[in-house]
Amino acid sequence: MLRQLLSPPLLSGLDVGTKAFTKNRSDMEEHLTVLGELLDEADAGGGPDSMARLRSRDKMPIRERIACVLDPDSPFLEISPLAGYESSYTVGGGFVVGIGVIAGVECVICGNDPTVLGGAMTPYMAKKWMRAIEIARHNRMPYVSFVESAGADLRVQTGGGSNKRRVKVDHFAESGRFFYEMTELSKLAIPSVCVVFGSSTAGGAYQPGMSDYTIFIKERSKVFLAGPPLVKMATGEDANDETLGGGKLHAEKSGLADYLAEDEMDALRMCREVVSHLDWRKAGPDRSYETSEPVHDVEGLMGIVSKDLKQPVDVKEIIARVVDGSRFEEFKPRYGPTMICGFATIHGYPVGILGNNGVIHPGAAEKAAHFIQLCNRQDTPLIFLQNITGFMVGSDSEEAGIIKKGSQMINAVSNSTVPHLTVIIGASYGAGTYGMSGRAYGNRFTFLWPMAKIAVMGPKQIAGVMSLVRRGQAARKGLQFDEEADAEIVRQVEAAQEKGSLALEATGAVSDDGIIDPRDTRTVLGLCLSVVRTAPMEGAEKYGVFRL
């Protein structure tokens, strides 16, 4: 029987009629418009000519293939859709990764975009591919790949002008690691299903070779370690695509193909049938609480955060618009008030939430460590809502033990065994990023709001610190300090650091799982909470909770 939290709904003091809210909402809508345009660009793949050429061959674009394999009216949570932003590569990196439902089973689904460099492995595709395997492994989810690849992009270095990100990558070493990771899935009894839609050469050929189930398409799938030109050069043999590695050959002679489909839709039907016979079950607990919409309007999330991240944000206003019934049982509400901790449910799944209402003081760090231990004792996943400039500095904080208590918090985060989901709603600076379970801390998913910023510290602080260092160096050398030149350096550093800290820069480098519309936060977290329960909980610590 489903239960309900007994805590009352959070009250809201948000005034949507203020000039500040209106300005914040306008800024957020502007950011979302830019995001929408970039998502359209990613969806367009290699452009209209490439798309027209693909369709002229009776082939579907990658996202249509995915849409056709999913259960009707089921969601698809795409991961890192804007990879490669501001690089010389197509937005999206020529590869799609996401989580969707096939035959009632939540699966990791990934696939090459054949309209982008023939589906070749770009550096951004490599990062997304590794992330896809990581999600499948950590969450114990079937792994479904749609392969149509020309192999590795053999161009060692790419990039254009000064505003283009240059990338150097060792495809050979990285490819080998991918295949190792794919075989690891099989060892962990996580099934992998590969559908080959076209030519899959060299490294692309090993993807079906390393999969548990393979589906080929008659007169479409072409799988070989070396194509006809290379075979001719290496051995002198004259061969065509079909006789060298066509679907019929692999289904009837080599045995690489387990199923041979008539066309793309037939292959997708077979894929659904294969997933259906896996009899896949979640190893973790199902939802145990009733679900209900938040009491407060989700549209309020559009105007909570200012583009000027120095403006304070009450994280409880966000929690009230994300959790079931806006019900939130706050833990230690009078102690360490700049860290908000408490229990709630999202789409019926119990969660522990940690959110920032300012810098992390010693007491706040101590409270967070205690709360994390409690959630681990009862196998409750943790959600971190980051808006943090770091741990408090200064004489008073040092005397109060900020290093010791901050280390306790980071220790608790590092050794926590329950799933962590992180949403960066505003600033994510310095060691505060680590304390609030940043990407480096093995959290299951990390998402950003559009105006979020990630950096070692704020742009003004970085530029100011560097200016003080230059001033000190000049004083030690007995030199006159050039105020005008320093002011120009400060301006340039601030501008560079500001640009580098933007959410789009971070997501373009695949340092997170994507930027989301604030209004979708509840839905995205609900999907992820369902996903993390596919794997069993790892078990809590073998000692009691410390009152730190």
Side-chain angles (χ1 to χ4, degrees):
M1 182 178 178
L2 296 179
R3 295 166 285 167
Q4 185 182 65
L5 285 183
L6 298 180
S7 49
L10 287 170
L11 299 177
S12 175
L14 185 65
D15 186 352
V16 299
T18 64
K19 289 182 178 179
F21 182 93
T22 302
K23 176 66 165 61
N24 293 346
R25 183 184 181 95
S26 176
D27 289 339
M28 184 66 77
E29 288 172 343
E30 184 178 327
H31 277 70
L32 289 174
T33 297
V34 172
L35 286 175
E37 292 170 351
L38 288 171
L39 289 171
D40 288 342
E41 185 178 335
D43 189 53
D49 291 342
S50 296
M51 281 289 183
R53 190 180 311 116
L54 185 77
R55 291 190 183 280
S56 70
R57 298 170 181 169
D58 293 327
K59 290 186 172 186
M60 291 185 286
I62 179 59
R63 286 179 175 79
E64 286 187 23
R65 291 169 177 170
I66 293 173
C68 289
V69 83
L70 296 175
D71 289 356
D73 299 321
S74 65
F76 180 68
L77 178 60
E78 188 169 349
I79 301 297
S80 296
L82 303 183
Y85 166 76
E86 278 216 330
S87 76
S88 59
Y89 286 99
T90 300
V91 175
F95 197 64
V96 176
V97 175
I99 297 168
V101 181
I102 302 174
V105 179
E106 289 166 330
C107 301
V108 174
I109 307 169
C110 62
N112 307 95
D113 185 341
T115 68
V116 179
L117 298 175
M121 183 195 298
T122 69
Y124 296 100
M125 178 258 178
K127 285 188 172 186
K128 292 174 72 170
W129 187 8
M130 188 63 80
R131 179 63 180 138
I133 297 173
E134 182 181 57
I135 292 172
R137 182 176 67 250
H138 289 172
N139 298 292
R140 191 179 164 271
M141 301 175 69
Y143 172 83
V144 177
S145 60
F146 291 170
V147 178
E148 185 167 5
S149 172
D153 178 4
L154 300 178
R155 300 172 300 177
V156 175
Q157 182 167 316
T158 61
S162 59
N163 68 329
K164 298 294 185 181
R165 188 184 293 115
R166 289 186 176 271
V167 180
K168 194 170 184 178
V169 63
D170 183 348
H171 291 297
F172 186 73
E174 290 197 1
S175 307
R177 186 64 193 182
F178 297 140
F179 304 138
Y180 173 88
E181 295 287 348
M182 288 184 69
T183 58
E184 280 282 288
L185 292 182
S186 187
K187 184 177 79 171
L188 295 170
I190 298 172
S192 54
V193 182
C194 178
V195 184
V196 182
F197 285 90
S199 179
S200 297
T201 310
Y206 283 109
Q207 293 184 62
M210 296 291 179
S211 299
D212 295 341
Y213 299 90
T214 60
I215 301 168
F216 284 42
I217 302 172
K218 190 182 298 184
E219 299 178 355
R220 295 293 178 83
S221 304
K222 318 289 183 184
V223 179
F224 26 63
L225 293 184
L230 183 54
V231 169
K232 176 67 174 176
M233 292 299 298
T235 70
E237 178 188 354
D238 286 311
N240 60 44
D241 287 353
E242 192 63 33
T243 59
L244 187 63
K248 194 169 185 291
L249 175 137
H250 286 302
E252 296 178 357
K253 295 183 179 180
S254 80
L256 178 60
D258 301 322
Y259 305 88
L260 185 62
E262 294 293 327
D263 54 30
E264 292 197 4
M265 287 302 293
D266 193 37
L268 294 171
R269 176 188 62 79
M270 290 179 174
C271 179
R272 289 180 52 79
E273 289 178 355
V274 169
V275 174
S276 72
H277 87 237
L278 297 176
D279 194 26
W280 198 250
R281 297 182 178 90
K282 287 178 177 285
D286 199 357
R287 71 180 77 201
S288 52
Y289 288 83
E290 294 178 1
T291 181
S292 59
E293 292 297 313
V295 171
H296 305 293
D297 189 358
V298 70
E299 289 293 327
L301 297 175
M302 291 289 287
I304 285 179
V305 177
S306 169
K307 188 159 63 173
D308 176 8
L309 296 183
K310 294 191 296 294
Q311 299 302 313
V313 176
D314 185 355
V315 74
K316 285 196 280 189
E317 293 286 2
I318 296 172
I319 295 170
R321 289 162 175 81
V322 171
V323 302
D324 289 338
S326 301
R327 296 178 182 276
F328 182 66
E329 179 192 330
E330 189 171 356
F331 177 71
K332 284 184 179 288
R334 296 175 179 268
Y335 188 77
T338 59
M339 179 67 69
I340 303 300
C341 302
F343 301 96
T345 66
I346 297 177
H347 286 283
Y349 296 108
V351 295
I353 298 177
L354 295 93
N356 305 118
N357 261 2
V359 69
I360 303 175
H361 290 272
E366 181 182 16
K367 176 170 76 170
H370 185 182
F371 181 71
I372 290 167
Q373 287 190 321
L374 288 174
C375 289
N376 272 264
R377 294 306 299 173
Q378 59 195 51
D379 288 338
T380 301
L382 290 165
I383 292 176
F384 294 82
L385 301 178
Q386 282 196 17
N387 184 25
I388 183 63
T389 55
F391 290 88
M392 190 61 190
V393 297
S395 300
D396 290 343
S397 291
E398 296 294 352
E399 185 177 333
I402 186 61
I403 295 176
K404 180 181 70 174
K405 293 181 179 180
S407 297
Q408 289 171 349
M409 179 180 176
I410 292 177
N411 190 313
V413 170
S414 302
N415 290 285
S416 172
T417 58
V418 298
H420 293 187
L421 309 178
T422 299
V423 182
I424 302 175
I425 61 178
S428 181
Y429 294 154
T433 300
Y434 310 142
M436 290 296 290
S437 195
R439 183 66 173 265
Y441 277 67
N443 45 341
R444 298 290 182 91
F445 294 97
T446 302
F447 296 98
L448 311 179
W449 277 14
M451 292 193 290
K453 295 178 182 177
I454 308 172
V456 66
M457 65 177 70
K460 287 186 179 297
Q461 287 74 22
I462 292 176
V465 167
M466 293 174 67
S467 175
L468 290 174
V469 170
R470 289 192 297 273
R471 193 179 296 272
Q473 289 173 337
R476 286 192 298 273
K477 295 176 180 178
L479 302 174
Q480 183 177 355
F481 189 68
D482 190 333
E483 297 285 355
E484 186 175 334
D486 183 71
E488 177 59 21
I489 294 173
V490 167
R491 186 193 66 77
Q492 292 178 5
V493 170
E494 278 189 25
Q497 293 295 331
E498 173 72 16
K499 184 177 187 301
S501 69
L502 298 177
L504 272 173
E505 291 287 320
T507 206
V510 199
S511 63
D512 55 75
D513 293 313
I515 302 175
I516 61 174
D517 186 320
R519 294 166 295 191
D520 293 334
T521 304
R522 170 177 164 82
T523 299
V524 169
L525 289 175
L527 290 170
C528 292
L529 287 167
S530 177
V531 164
V532 300
R533 278 170 168 71
T534 305
M537 294 293 182
E538 295 182 20
E541 302 97 327
K542 303 303 180 185
Y543 49 82
V545 173
F546 298 140
R547 272 192 185 276
L548 300 170

